[in-house]
Every structure is written in structure tokens, then in C-alpha cells.
Amino acid sequence: MTLAVLFPLIMAAVCALLARSLGRRTGYLAALGFVPALLLAVPLAGNSVEPGGSPLSQVTGWVPDLGLNFAFRGDGFSLLFAVLIGVIGALASLYSVAYLSERERFGRFYPYLLLFGGSMLGLVLSDNMIALFAFWEMTSVTSFLLIGLWHTRSEARDGAVKAFLVSALGGLGLLAAVALLSVAGSSTTLSGLDLEAVRASPFFIPALLLTLLAAFTKSAQLPFHLWLPTAMEAPTPVSAFLHSATMVKAGVVLVAKFGLIFGGSALWGGIIVPLGVATMFWGSWRALKQTDLKALLAFSTVSQLGLLMALYGLADAEGRFAATTHLLNHAAFKAALFFVVGIIDHETGTRETFRLSGLRRKLPLTFAVTLLATLSMAGLPPLGGFISKELFYEAMIHAGSGFIAVSVIGSAFTLAYCARLISIFFGDFRAPEDDTGQPLKSQIHEAGPGLLLPPALLAGAALLFGVLPASAEWLTRRAGAALDFADYEGHLYLWHGVTPALLLTLLTWGLAALLVWQAARVYFLQVHLEFPLSSNRIYRGLLIGLETLASRAIAGTQGLALPDQLRITLAAAGLMGGYAVWRAPQVFQPLEPLPLSTLPIAVLLVAGALGVLLSRNRLTAVVLTGLTGFGSAVAFLAMRAPDLALTQLLIEAVTVILFLLVFRSLPGFRSLPRGRVRGVIDVVLAGSAGIGATLLVLASIRFLSPPISPYYLENAYKEGGGKNVVNVILVDFRGWDTLGEIMVVAMVALAVRSLVRLGRRGQARSEKDTAPTSPDLLDLQKRQS
């Protein structure tokens, strides 16, 4: 399992190195990255997933003292999902070899794809909740990179940012939930949680709500569904991978696994089931309105995710069995349909349904694959989607009449938009044209095997799950022990007899036929029925509000003149000192006597500061500023802190050099206008800041608790293995703090580099724009100069 997670990450680096020489053939290497995940099918078929078997377990130490380990647990559900990721990932990589153009940046595409695949495998296999959160965030970052791969398009940038912001909100919720569960359950692993203690803890409800926030944002439940349709700006192989079996299913995985913890609470199902059914209805309603095939599949995915959430939210054996069955079916038909839409776009030059007609004459094999996958998504026999839709109806009947009513209407919409999708293959063939009447493609022909084979295999799986239901049931039962439905007695059949679910299916078909018959009126209604408030409008409003607030905050704090900003800083220093004295009034503690050698240093520091204050020359001010800094370094050296002295020397050297570099660009040295009142205020501020800083230092000498410094001195060598106490503190005792400081410095360096590049680019453009374009302008410029 560890290899299944790490191998895609290793292959990402290999693909990045070899992409320039291999070109599109890098996709074959990327497909190899998912081979270890495919090999997990061997333990999936073994006894470890049976009710009495022991799940696979692999633990690799990370920070064992803190309980941080890479702990992977191969129960039936995790292994099933990992194999699913491997199958779709390998097929998407092979499909992309034929789909992408030679101008694509393969050195980015395939590494991003593999990094995402490895992150998703780590997410589903992790038993350690901290590692699970880390992989969760990695999926957010890598999906951002994949969705925004074609970053020159504004739609791709918007989709990537929207997906990242929504996922980041859920990531914060998951982080808090993991922390609460770890404290309440006395373990950082899912398998080691004390479930009774968690359920009795006051953290139970907050952890439940935070987990749902994470799951809803990642799996596009209302009102967080807004990111998924715009994420379709990604290349088609990415859409097939992310939105069939991986990223959008991450929240479903979370609900399925954490449902074993929270499922006993009425609040769990009371939130998930209504919201899931509402999401299913809303997604199918919006899908029916779409004319872009990829947008239709996007809202279809929203609808199907709502269905899965509702089933897992029931938190009973029937719901989990039905959900796992539909999870397999959905992965097969949805990935196949995304691949098919890529073929249609690739061969015809468009995805708009009103431009496409009679394609079965030109694309007969694509039509056959599309028909199988679409019938499965519509829930029609003899495809696997029909069987799982029947299970969904059975579960909703037990949930309540309101749920089943909404489910039937949403399923009717599903069948209606499936009819729209398949309609592009019927009728008279019409070559797609652009808005000016010009053909989009000079010749339309069937796609090659590189594009057809992946969707054909998946459509074949959808057919197999229906014609041979035992195959789907065998796979579903693999997850029975992990999700606590091993004792469920239901089975998968195409024909169960005349049951309430079958009657509801017939009703669904009748409503769908009515919708297809009145398609023009329904579309007219959808176009003119606009709700005043939508999630996208709320999202835009929040972004604009945050930007406005940030701009005002910056203008009110950073837009001031330098003297005014210094006055605010000095006032804050004085207030902090006063607060310290108020909290610790006994500040005057006996101090150790200082050696006389420090007196000249103190005089030097004071003289330098006064010199800067009284200086009327820029060069003198720069030199005296450096004098105070170098005097501080000498003071550190006298107090036996050579490390600090060296750091101070480096900082002062760099500061003085920077001053000298920009010396010629500095404005003229002048006296700032300052009246008598402002002068008095400045004197008071300066004095209060100095006194406050002194009192703050004196207050810190009086320890409110035993000091920690003896611990550092005693354990620096024994625990840290170093004789230099300062180094051990920075690297070992305060390693995370130091790492954070390094990250900050690195980010600042990147920001400065970006600003420098932008400045050069802007200067070059300015020179180009102002360059004379004719001899007359050149002569005029010379005469003016």
C-alpha cells in the first residue's frame, strides 16, 4: 500500500524530467505510475476483506513521539476505492496520449496528474487522521493545478481558484475535526479511536458538523456545488479522472468512513439525507438546461454525488450497500461519458448540442459506447445503473415519502437530460458550423483506438454490472466488513418482481417521457426561471466584499506617510509596555551586574541613535544607522552569544549595502513639516515607546512560571546531540518554528523575484510602446531632448 501511494509521486518526478524528450509518450510512463494501485486487486480478492479477516496494515514512522506515522489500512472499502483510482488514472493517462496536442506542456500535465493520483490514494488508504488531512489538502492543491492547466484562459483560472477556495474552506473544517476526534478518542488513527469516548465527548457535535463541512465542500453538495461546473475548463482526461472516481468522491469517502463514528446520531442523517436528495434534484434540473455536453455532465455529477451522499447518510446496511454499488456504476459510466465527450469535441470541434446531429453515421463506434454509458446513467435495463437506481428507490422508500417524491422527480430529469445527450447521434447528419456558417472541421471520422479503448472498457463494465449482477455484487461485498453491511441479505438482480421500486421506476419513465415530449417548453421555462439568489452570486459578493475590506484596511494602515506609520508603531510599543507593567507590576527585580566593558558599547549605541536623529545628511544617517547595528553585534559578542552576533553582522551588512545601492534613488534630504503640537506628540510617543520597551524587558525577567531555559541547557546534548545550545533549540526544540520562518523567507524571496520580473516586463513594454515608429517621430524626439 505504501508503494501504491509513493510510486505515483516518484513517477511524477520522472515524468517531469523526461517529458521534454518523450513528448506525448510520457503518458505511458504516467500509466505505469498506477500499476501498484492496480495490484491492490490481489489483496482485495483475498481473505483480508472478509468479515473475520484482518485488514492489511502498514505503518512507517514519521514523528513517532508525536504519534505521527504514515499508517495505511487496507480494508475492503479502501482497497476497492484504491483499485478504482488506479483503473481510471491509468485509462486517463493512456487516453491523454491520443487526446492532447503536441503543444501541450507534458512536463506539467503528467506530473500534476500523478501527484493528484498519489494524493488521492493516500487519502483513501490512510488510517492516521493527520496524514489523511495532509493528503486531503494535497488533492486540493493538485486539483487546482490541473483545473488551471490552461491558465491563459480566464475561465480556467476562475475555475481553479473557485475550486481551491471552496476546498480550502472544507480543509480547515477537516483539520479542526481531526484535532477534536484525536483529543476525544485518545488516538490519531481511525482504527484506534475510542468510539464510546468520542460519542460521550462534548466535542462530538462540533466534530460531526466540521466533518460534514469538509465532505460537502469537496463533493459539491448544496450550496458548495458552484465550483464543479467551472472546473470543467480542465482538459477532458482531467475531468474524467477528477469527476468520476477521485476528487469529487473524496467527500463521499469521508462520509462513508466517518459514518461509522457519527452514524448513530440523528443529526448525521438528518443533515446529509435531505441535503443529498436536494442536491440530486437541483443538479439534474440544471443539467437539463445545459447545451454544452461537458457542462451537462458536470451538473449530472453534482446530481449523482447527491444521490451517493443521501445513501451513505442513511448510515444503515441497506444504504451503504446501495451506495457502494452505485459508486462502482457511477465511476464506470461517468468516466466513459467524459471520454466520449472528449472524442466528440476532438473530432467535430464543438460540444454544443444544437450544432450536432446525426453523428452515428460518422462515429458509429463512439455512438455504441455512448449509448451503453448513457443508458446506465439514465438507470435503464439491462445496465448496471438500473440496478443501483432500484436500490436507491428502495432505500428512499424507507426514509420517507417526501424523499422518494423528490428522488423520482430528480430521476425523471436525469432520464430527460440523458435523452438530450444521446439525441446528437440521431436525425440527419449536419456538419457542425460556427456562428458565421463556416464548418468547424473539414472532415469528421471515427476516433482511433487510443481514444476509443478507454471509454469502451468502462462502458463494457457498466454493461457487465447489469447483465451479470453477481460481478457488481462481488465487488460491493468486498467493502461489507469495512462499512458494516456484511450481514445485509439483499442481492443484486435485474428482476426482483413487481416491487414498489419497480412501480416508481415506471412512474419515473412516464414523467421523463413527458419532459422529452415538452422539451421546448421545459427549456423555455428553465431559461426564464431565474432565482434572485444563487451560490455563484453569493460567491462573487463575498469575494468583492473581502477585496473591498482588504483594500480599505491597507489604505487605512499601509497608505499613510512613513512618519505617521512610525507614530502608530511607537504608540503600540508604549501600550504593550504599559500592559506588561499592569499585568506584572513587580518589574524591578534585582539584575546581575554588567561588566564595565559593556559601557562603551552602550555609549556607542546611544551615540549612533542620537546621531541619526540629529543628522542632516543622508550618507551620515546611513553610516550612523549601521553603527547602531554593528554596536548591537558587539554587545551580543560581549555577552557570549557569537551566533546572534554573526546574524546581526550579516543583517547589518545587507541593510547598509541595500541603502547604498538605492542611495542615488533616494529623495532629497529635507525637514518634514511639523508644528509645535505634533512635535510635542512625537516626543511623548518616543519617550513612552522607550520607557514601554524597557519596562517590557524588565517585566519579562519576573517569571510567572519556572523558566524553560534550564531544560534546554540540560537536554541540548543529551536529546539534541549538539553542543551548541542555540543551534539545537533552532533545529530540534523549535524545529517547526524555524521551518515556518524558512518558508516565510522563501515566499518573500519568490514574491520579490516576481515583482522584479514584472517590473522589467512592464519597463520593456513601456519602452516598446513609447518607442518612435517613424523617422519623423525620431527627429521630433531628438529635438525635444
Side-chain angles (χ1 to χ4, degrees):
M1 291 184 294
T2 305
L3 182 62
V5 175
L6 296 182
F7 196 64
L9 308 182
I10 296 171
M11 290 302 295
V14 174
C15 290
L17 293 173
L18 300 180
R20 186 179 294 273
S21 57
L22 292 179
R24 64 168 72 242
R25 291 174 296 175
T26 311
Y28 299 124
L29 279 181
L32 290 177
F34 294 100
V35 169
L38 295 175
L39 294 178
L40 292 177
V42 176
L44 178 64
N47 294 328
S48 62
V49 299
E50 298 296 335
S54 298
L56 297 178
S57 181
Q58 292 180 355
V59 179
T60 303
W62 181 14
V63 189
D65 293 340
L66 299 179
L68 300 179
N69 300 299
F70 287 112
F72 298 112
R73 180 180 172 87
D75 57 49
F77 181 68
S78 298
L79 292 175
L80 177 65
F81 212 100
V83 172
L84 200 61
I85 293 169
V87 170
I88 305 296
L91 291 178
S93 301
L94 296 174
Y95 178 91
S96 64
V97 175
Y99 180 82
L100 297 176
S101 68
E102 289 290 350
R103 295 174 307 209
E104 190 59 67
R105 296 184 176 182
F106 302 109
R108 292 185 179 181
F109 177 81
Y110 289 113
Y112 292 168
L113 193 71
L114 286 164
L115 288 172
F116 175 82
S119 304
M120 195 67 203
L121 287 165
L123 171 63
V124 299
L125 292 171
S126 285
D127 189 35
N128 185 289
M129 291 188 291
I130 299 174
L132 184 148
F133 166 74
F135 286 118
W136 180 281
E137 290 299 277
M138 286 176 62
T139 61
S140 298
V141 174
T142 50
S143 63
F144 166 80
L145 297 173
L146 285 169
I147 296 169
L149 186 72
W150 294 336
H151 56 85
T152 54
R153 301 170 57 183
S154 60
E155 295 85 357
R157 295 194 300 271
D158 177 66
V161 171
K162 190 181 293 184
F164 182 77
L165 290 178
V166 175
S167 298
L169 174 64
L172 292 174
L174 181 60
L175 175 61
V178 164
L180 294 177
L181 287 174
S182 300
V183 173
S186 303
S187 176
T188 58
T189 61
L190 282 171
S191 60
L193 285 176
D194 185 346
L195 297 184
E196 294 300 324
V198 170
R199 290 163 186 160
S201 170
F203 296 149
F204 179 78
I205 297 299
L208 183 152
L209 296 176
L210 291 167
T211 300
L212 290 183
L213 174 64
F216 291 162
T217 53
K218 190 73 87 172
S219 287
Q221 300 300 288
L222 291 174
F224 305 107
H225 67 288
L226 72 162
W227 68 265
L228 200 152
T230 53
M232 292 300 157
E233 294 299 327
T236 294
V238 173
S239 299
F241 190 31
L242 266 66
H243 303 136
S244 62
T246 52
M247 180 182 175
V248 295
K249 297 278 180 61
V252 175
V253 170
L254 201 66
V255 168
K257 288 190 172 185
F258 281 56
L260 301 175
I261 303 172
F262 301 113
S265 171
L267 187 62
W268 179 259
I271 295 176
I272 298 178
V273 178
L275 191 62
V277 172
T279 302
M280 177 211 171
F281 172 85
W282 182 249
S284 59
W285 166 261
R286 291 301 305 272
L288 187 59
K289 179 183 177 181
Q290 306 306 312
T291 59
D292 183 291
L293 291 174
K294 213 171 178 183
L296 184 151
L297 292 182
F299 282 104
S300 163
T301 302
V302 173
S303 176
Q304 298 292 322
L305 290 173
L307 186 154
L308 287 169
M309 279 288 190
L311 287 175
Y312 277 122
L314 292 172
D316 58 15
E318 182 184 32
R320 291 175 181 136
F321 179 77
T324 306
T325 303
H326 192 70
L327 187 147
L328 293 171
N329 284 315
H330 177 261
F333 67 67
K334 187 54 63 68
L337 286 173
F338 272 115
F339 287 143
V340 163
V341 167
I343 292 174
I344 295 171
D345 190 16
H346 192 272
E347 301 301 329
T348 66
T350 183
R351 301 192 304 256
E352 295 292 341
T353 55
F354 59 84
R355 300 184 193 274
L356 300 169
S357 177
L359 289 182
R360 76 181 189 281
R361 304 175 187 276
K362 296 290 184 178
L363 308 174
L365 297 179
T366 303
F367 166 65
V369 173
T370 307
L371 183 64
L372 290 176
T374 306
L375 291 179
S376 185
M377 183 168 69
L380 294 176
L383 279 301
F386 169 76
I387 296 177
S388 55
K389 185 62 69 69
E390 294 281 288
L391 295 177
F392 171 64
Y393 278 165
E394 290 284 357
M396 288 299 107
I397 289 173
H398 299 153
S401 57
F403 293 130
I404 193 61
V406 177
S407 299
V408 167
I409 297 173
S411 298
F413 288 147
T414 299
L415 194 55
Y417 68 66
C418 286
R420 170 176 289 183
L421 191 156
I422 205 69
S423 67
I424 63 175
F425 290 93
F426 294 96
D428 297 329
F429 173 74
R430 184 176 70 250
E433 299 176 347
D434 60 17
D435 294 334
T436 62
Q438 298 298 318
L440 292 171
K441 286 279 188 176
S442 59
Q443 186 177 2
I444 298 176
H445 54 78
E446 187 60 86
L451 292 177
L452 268 175
L453 187 58
L457 292 174
L458 293 167
L463 178 62
L464 178 67
F465 291 158
V467 175
L468 190 61
S471 61
E473 182 172 349
W474 184 85
L475 288 172
T476 301
R477 291 289 181 183
R478 299 294 91 190
L483 297 184
D484 197 23
F485 63 81
D487 297 331
Y488 179 66
E489 297 179 355
H491 296 283
L492 302 184
Y493 298 108
L494 265 176
W495 175 253
H496 288 271
V498 180
T499 62
L502 179 62
L503 297 177
L504 291 173
T505 297
L506 296 176
L507 175 61
T508 302
W509 293 351
L511 291 175
L514 180 63
L515 290 171
V516 173
W517 177 44
Q518 298 292 331
R521 294 184 177 179
V522 173
Y523 184 74
F524 178 84
L525 175 64
Q526 287 187 307
V527 170
H528 291 82
L529 186 61
E530 289 291 339
F531 294 96
L533 194 63
S534 67
S535 55
N536 272 299
R537 290 177 182 172
I538 295 173
Y539 169 79
R540 296 294 178 193
L542 287 174
L543 280 188
I544 293 173
L546 287 174
E547 291 175 0
T548 303
L549 179 63
S551 299
R552 290 179 178 176
I554 292 173
T557 57
Q558 304 301 316
L560 302 175
L562 181 59
D564 292 330
Q565 293 191 33
L566 289 175
R567 292 183 180 101
I568 294 174
T569 303
L570 293 174
L575 289 174
M576 285 190 296
Y579 178 77
V581 175
W582 175 60
R583 294 291 295 175
Q586 300 178 9
V587 292
F588 297 105
Q589 301 292 324
L591 302 177
E592 295 183 5
L594 293 175
L596 291 177
S597 57
T598 58
L599 183 60
I601 300 174
V603 172
L604 182 67
L605 292 172
V606 174
L610 290 174
V612 173
L613 179 63
L614 300 175
S615 175
R616 291 295 180 266
N617 181 276
R618 290 184 302 179
L619 182 59
T620 304
V622 171
V623 172
L624 292 174
T625 301
L627 185 62
T628 59
F630 288 116
S632 300
V634 175
F636 287 135
L637 190 60
M639 296 178 186
R640 295 181 299 174
D643 293 341
L644 295 177
L646 180 60
T647 304
Q648 184 68 28
L649 283 173
L650 291 174
I651 291 174
E652 286 305 318
V654 171
T655 304
V656 172
I657 290 171
L658 286 175
F659 268 123
L660 294 176
L661 286 175
V662 299
F663 191 76
R664 294 182 58 186
S665 302
L666 290 174
F669 203 92
R670 60 187 177 85
S671 298
L672 296 173
R674 180 168 58 187
R676 180 177 298 178
V677 176
R678 179 159 291 188
V680 173
I681 293 175
D682 289 346
V683 170
V684 173
L685 285 175
S688 62
I691 295 171
T694 303
L695 294 176
L696 186 62
V697 172
L698 293 175
S700 64
I701 296 175
R702 178 179 177 269
F703 295 108
L704 301 178
S705 300
I708 197 173
S709 51
Y711 173 83
Y712 288 147
L713 293 173
E714 294 171 4
N715 293 279
Y717 183 77
K718 181 172 62 176
E719 299 291 339
K723 296 181 180 179
N724 189 312
V725 179
V726 176
N727 288 347
V728 174
I729 291 174
L730 292 176
V731 176
D732 291 307
F733 294 117
R734 292 180 54 196
W736 287 110
D737 187 26
T738 304
L739 179 62
E741 293 173 356
I742 293 172
M743 292 289 291
V744 170
V745 172
M747 292 172 66
V748 170
L750 289 173
V752 171
R753 180 176 179 271
S754 301
L755 289 173
V756 171
R757 291 184 63 187
L758 288 173
R760 290 175 180 174
R761 193 178 304 169
Q763 184 179 2
R765 288 179 179 175
S766 177
E767 292 175 354
K768 182 178 179 181
D769 293 340
T770 57
T773 57
S774 68
D776 294 336
L777 289 175
L778 181 61
D779 181 66
L780 176 62
Q781 192 178 58
K782 287 181 179 179
R783 284 189 278 109
Q784 287 178 343
S785 61

